[in-house]
Amino acid sequence: MSDRPSTPNPRRRPSTPKGWDRADAISTTSWERPPDHLTAGMRRDVVQELGWGRLVFGQTFADHEGLTDVLRDEASGRRDICLYLHDPHVLVATRPQEYFIDPSFTFRMWMHNYRPRPRPAAGVVVRQISGRAHCEEMNRIYVRCGMVPADVDVLWDNHRTTRHITYLVAEELGTGEVLGTVTGVDHTRLFDDPDNGCSLWCLAVDPATVQPGVGELLVRTLIERFQARGRAYLDLSVMHDNEPAIALYDKLGFERVPVFGVKRKNAINERLFTPAPHDDLDDLNPYARIIADEAIRRGVRVDVLDAEGGYLRLEHGGRSVVTRESLSEYTSAVGMSRCDDKRVTRKVVAEAGVAVPAGRTATFDDADHRFLDDVGAVVVKPARGEQGIGITVGVTTHDELDAAIQRAGGAGTQVLLEQFCEGDDLRIVVIDGSVVAAAVRRPAEVVGTGQHDVRQLIEARSRRREAATGGESSIPIDDLTLATIEEEGWSLDDVLPAGEELRVRRTANLHTGGTIHDVTDELHPELAAAALRAAAAIGIPVTGIDLLVPAVDGPAYVFIEANERPGLANHEPRPTAAAFVDYLFPGTRPTPWAWQPDPPAGSDQRAG
């Protein structure tokens, strides 16, 4: 099978039943039953399992009683969707305790209106899935986008055994990394749809993707494949407040149609049909919200004390704990102070046998410059601080050193100089003596389109990062960004060639546009053991240990710092929030998932 999308035949018109026109489409006339001559050949009572739930095609059911029997069979942890049913308001009104009308819009692309355009997303190829690994990558992206995960076996069986389901993935050329996915369902092949339609589901792009236009490329490819089959239209459903997706569909020429979906009132859908249990939950940042959601699922009472600051009070079984995101009352003042001052952190972990780079506290005199001469390149950072503020990486000249020290606070403040070490920025999350997640963090990058200048690319990339992180991540256009771009030989006004990658920040901090890539399954045991030793030496129960590593599957590393309030939301689908709530309220749910590597020979450090 070719990996190249099908090219529509310009002489071939999308086929339609004899005597049919757009006004007769049974999928958009929910107020009346279709005439028998249109539905005579259509299969009845059609339900399609997709792994995350079932698609129930309402137009194939004779009455609401049959639909109700099917919808009541929804599996636990799944989200079924019923579309195209007649009189959805009547079904909901007669069974309001069971069902609700989904607050989504339905958009339709009439195939004869579709206009192909030059393909966006240089350096990306769209292909059908070719193995279970693709299914697992699809699932990873679903979870990172906050969607219901799918059963990998169902995804793979659907691909192998059906002709009516199309699973596409967007891959980065060269690396093969899966950047996004979309699912298509051919209604005509599935149930001899008299409207000759098809639909799009589960469009998802990895929030860490730097390439622009991946979502558009996936949508266009699916449209063109179904257009080549002669389908009349393609439908999709999108939440009413998903403004970026709606803007994309408007751009491509989709139209709103009066098609409504019905869903069951279950725990997954609860936020769609009931007010939030606390009005201020929606004001929490993603790092506090993930903890609040996990606690509520466990039956833990959640009071939002300060939404802007991320402060919560969690109560269960007579125990009350105040948290600020992943920081709780159970972190001692001593542990906090050891994390707060990077000089102290270095000293404490080094005494525990953790490797640290050469370093010194800046004295704002010639000794600082002699240190630079000795090690060749340095990292300059405030001794206290977070979110990458004031840090300069890769300083090699004396003028740069003076500027970096000033940027970190200058004379009269506490500034740390460390030897610059090559490697990937690895964050290991340790909770209650166990490694829960590990991820490589990469500095912000943009990819050229051949049409936009560097400033426009940064602004577009920043908007995508803000949308993906609830406003927590964006790329500032400041002197550090300008210096990084100039070092690469570009300026903000230069048009970057299509496919050209440009790093625009030196540090991998997520708040300045960095991206995070899960490597938990690849983590070398020595790196895990080093993180556990560091956390134990600091005496902190929940922490993000930052290492620089040549490779995540090798033992070499140097310690960089420890974060007393790691962002747990950055590591989905790893169960970081579950581990945190387990630590606070161990009686609410046991979790056997945490990997606890054996300590290296000669070490007394245990992972329990």
Side-chain angles (χ1 to χ4, degrees):
M1 181 179 294
S2 171
D3 291 331
R4 196 165 36 184
S6 303
T7 302
N9 185 340
R11 298 182 179 179
R12 184 176 183 180
R13 300 282 294 178
S15 57
T16 57
K18 185 176 181 180
W20 180 94
D21 63 30
R22 287 165 53 155
D24 292 330
I26 65 173
S27 60
T28 54
T29 53
S30 63
W31 53 87
E32 62 182 357
R33 296 189 181 280
D36 291 341
H37 73 276
L38 286 182
T39 60
M42 181 176 65
R43 283 183 53 208
R44 296 293 181 176
D45 301 345
V46 176
V47 179
Q48 177 61 55
E49 175 63 60
L50 288 177
W52 43 261
R54 300 174 301 168
L55 291 182
V56 181
F57 290 88
Q59 72 269 52
T60 68
F61 285 77
D63 52 47
H64 285 171
E65 292 303 319
L67 269 175
T68 298
D69 291 340
V70 169
L71 293 175
R72 284 175 176 165
D73 288 336
E74 181 181 66
S76 176
R78 293 290 181 259
R79 175 184 285 174
D80 293 348
I81 301 175
C82 179
L83 274 184
Y84 307 118
L85 70 162
H86 300 291
D87 304 320
H89 56 297
V90 175
L91 175 65
V92 171
T94 55
R95 297 170 178 83
Q97 74 283 3
E98 292 187 74
Y99 308 114
F100 68 99
I101 293 179
D102 184 39
S104 294
F105 298 144
T106 301
F107 283 85
R108 175 167 294 180
M109 172 62 72
W110 296 98
M111 293 301 191
H112 60 273
N113 289 336
Y114 174 69
R115 296 293 179 265
R117 295 183 60 185
R119 294 204 172 274
V124 179
V125 62
V126 173
R127 65 178 83 242
Q128 283 190 253
I129 63 172
S130 59
R132 286 179 60 88
H134 273 149
C135 299
E136 291 167 356
E137 285 296 291
M138 290 169 59
N139 216 24
R140 175 184 64 82
I141 293 174
Y142 291 162
V143 174
R144 293 211 68 186
C145 291
M147 299 161 65
V148 177
D151 186 316
V152 170
D153 290 333
V154 171
L155 296 177
W156 184 233
D157 286 345
N158 282 345
H159 171 72
R160 291 188 304 109
T161 62
T162 71
R163 296 177 60 249
H164 55 267
I165 298 180
T166 299
Y167 293 116
L168 301 179
V169 291
E171 292 183 345
E172 184 178 44
L173 286 173
T175 67
E177 180 182 357
V178 176
L179 308 178
T181 179
V182 71
T183 299
V185 178
D186 189 328
H187 302 178
T188 302
R189 287 184 175 180
L190 176 59
F191 59 88
D192 294 320
D193 179 18
D195 285 348
N196 192 28
C198 55
S199 54
L200 176 155
W201 299 91
C202 297
L203 175 66
V205 177
D206 191 330
T209 297
V210 298
Q211 285 86 345
V214 174
E216 179 178 345
L217 180 59
L218 284 162
V219 175
R220 286 188 178 277
T221 302
L222 189 66
I223 291 173
E224 290 166 13
R225 284 178 181 248
F226 282 137
Q227 188 181 51
R229 294 182 190 175
R231 298 297 167 256
Y233 65 80
L234 178 140
D235 281 356
L236 59 86
S237 180
V238 58
M239 287 300 298
H240 68 96
D241 56 356
N242 190 346
E243 295 180 2
I246 291 172
L248 170 62
Y249 303 138
D250 285 339
K251 169 186 173 182
L252 293 176
F254 281 82
E255 303 175 9
R256 284 273 304 276
V257 291
V259 173
F260 303 95
V262 169
K263 295 177 180 175
R264 284 191 74 241
K265 290 184 174 180
N266 59 27
I268 294 175
N269 295 323
E270 187 172 3
R271 68 180 182 85
L272 302 179
F273 63 85
T274 62
H278 307 278
D279 292 339
D280 42 6
L281 277 182
D282 289 336
D283 296 329
L284 293 171
N285 65 38
Y287 307 113
R289 182 62 187 263
I290 190 176
I291 293 166
D293 288 343
E294 177 65 24
I296 290 169
R297 279 194 292 269
R298 307 276 195 97
V300 176
R301 176 190 171 103
V302 176
D303 289 325
V304 179
L305 303 179
D306 179 355
E308 184 177 357
Y311 287 94
L312 308 172
R313 179 185 289 113
L314 309 180
E315 296 179 335
H316 184 271
R319 175 180 291 186
S320 176
V321 184
V322 173
T323 65
R324 184 188 181 196
E325 300 169 4
S326 61
L327 177 66
S328 78
E329 293 177 279
Y330 297 156
T331 295
S332 70
V334 172
M336 279 283 295
S337 66
R338 287 172 173 167
C339 282
D340 177 60
D341 191 323
K342 296 177 177 63
R343 299 166 302 169
V344 175
T345 314
R346 282 171 45 89
K347 180 181 179 181
V348 169
V349 301
E351 290 174 350
V354 176
V356 299
R360 73 185 306 272
T361 300
T363 50
F364 312 105
D365 56 20
D366 289 344
D368 296 339
H369 294 270
R370 287 196 297 271
F371 177 73
L372 173 61
D373 291 335
D374 289 341
V375 299
V378 299
V379 177
V380 181
K381 62 180 74 172
R384 290 184 169 89
E386 58 183 11
Q387 300 183 359
I389 297 172
I391 296 177
T392 307
V393 177
V395 174
T396 57
T397 71
H398 294 289
D399 287 343
E400 288 177 349
L401 179 60
D402 289 335
I405 290 175
Q406 189 63 35
R407 189 179 296 118
T413 65
Q414 303 297 322
V415 176
L416 177 62
L417 310 181
E418 287 185 325
Q419 181 180 9
F420 171 74
C421 300
E422 295 284 356
D424 287 330
D425 187 335
L426 174 67
R427 163 64 62 87
I428 301 177
V429 177
V430 176
I431 298 179
D432 196 21
S434 294
V435 170
V436 179
V440 168
R441 301 183 298 175
R442 299 194 175 106
E445 294 181 339
V446 296
V447 177
T449 63
Q451 301 175 352
H452 301 90
D453 61 37
V454 172
R455 183 189 299 275
Q456 292 171 323
L457 293 173
I458 291 175
E459 291 172 346
R461 174 67 180 151
S462 194
R463 287 194 296 271
R464 291 195 298 274
R465 291 297 295 152
E466 287 177 347
T469 62
E472 291 295 313
S473 177
S474 62
I475 306 172
I477 300 180
D478 56 16
D479 58 343
L480 281 177
T481 298
L482 294 175
T484 306
I485 293 170
E486 290 173 0
E487 286 175 6
E488 299 293 328
W490 300 92
S491 73
L492 286 175
D493 298 324
D494 291 334
V495 174
L496 204 60
E500 178 85 16
E501 296 181 1
L502 174 63
R503 178 171 293 187
V504 297
R505 298 289 293 187
R506 295 188 184 116
T507 61
N509 192 274
L510 298 179
H511 288 84
T512 55
T515 58
I516 191 162
H517 307 265
D518 182 74
V519 294
T520 309
D521 294 334
E522 306 164 39
L523 190 65
H524 192 278
E526 176 54 36
L527 303 183
L532 292 171
R533 285 197 299 272
I538 296 167
I540 189 165
V542 179
T543 182
I545 300 297
D546 293 341
L547 309 177
L548 274 177
V549 299
V552 297
D553 56 359
Y557 73 91
V558 291
F559 173 89
I560 300 303
E561 64 183 41
N563 191 312
E564 75 280 1
R565 185 163 47 97
L568 302 185
N570 296 325
H571 296 272
E572 291 187 290
R574 298 295 171 178
T576 52
F580 183 63
V581 178
D582 279 350
Y583 166 65
L584 300 180
F585 303 98
T588 58
R589 180 167 63 96
T591 52
W593 38 260
W595 175 42
Q596 299 183 358
D598 293 331
S603 170
D604 292 329
Q605 175 64 42
R606 300 294 176 183

